[in-house]
Amino acid sequence: MKGMNATTGRAIADLDHLYQSVGRIIGTPLATCVKRRTFGSDLFSYVDAANNGATRTRLYAAIATALMLWEPRITLTRVQLVVDESAMDGGTFIDIEGFTTESGDAVRTRAPLNFGNVT
């Protein structure tokens, strides 16, 4: 699939377009798109939740559900929360792995879990 880079406005295709789409889906809170209220993920309902196994499981489910609903080009095999202590902001990321439904290629991307600055 071809599309436009949301930052530069240049044309992008294939995996770059898929990765941008994944980031947009998990970075959009539910009910914030006026004409598509079901677009996005329920990730933001866990902002102040306890950091325990049950919350992490719900977080993974929220991401997987959103991607299965809104991104048919990817078949998920793994979603994992990663804390990178070496990052300047003590970054927390979501690692997403799977396969493309178009070509069967392996897909792996890391999206920042940044509740305060959604892009």
Side-chain angles (χ1 to χ4, degrees):
M1 178 174 262
K2 293 183 180 182
M4 181 178 72
N5 185 310
T7 306
T8 65
R10 294 181 180 213
I12 58 172
D14 302 324
L15 289 180
D16 290 333
H17 190 264
L18 177 64
Y19 294 151
Q20 176 178 280
S21 177
V22 166
R24 180 72 59 189
I25 291 166
I26 65 172
T28 302
L30 278 176
T32 58
C33 289
V34 175
K35 294 199 177 195
R36 288 193 298 176
R37 293 288 183 188
T38 59
F39 180 80
S41 71
D42 198 26
L43 186 69
F44 297 87
S45 64
Y46 302 105
V47 170
D48 291 328
N51 185 7
N52 58 31
T55 301
R56 282 190 296 277
T57 301
R58 289 183 185 111
L59 185 91
Y60 298 155
I63 293 168
T65 301
L67 290 177
M68 286 189 296
L69 181 64
W70 288 103
E71 188 48 79
R73 296 177 291 171
I74 188 170
T75 301
L76 291 177
T77 57
R78 183 174 173 216
V79 176
Q80 183 174 358
L81 184 68
V82 177
V83 178
D84 187 0
E85 299 294 335
S86 65
M88 292 173 60
D89 59 354
T92 305
F93 301 92
I94 298 292
D95 280 348
I96 298 168
E97 296 178 10
F99 297 94
T100 64
T101 56
E102 296 171 339
S103 65
D105 293 337
V107 174
R108 183 173 188 184
T109 186
R110 176 172 279 186
L113 188 60
N114 191 353
F115 291 115
N117 185 13
V118 178
T119 57

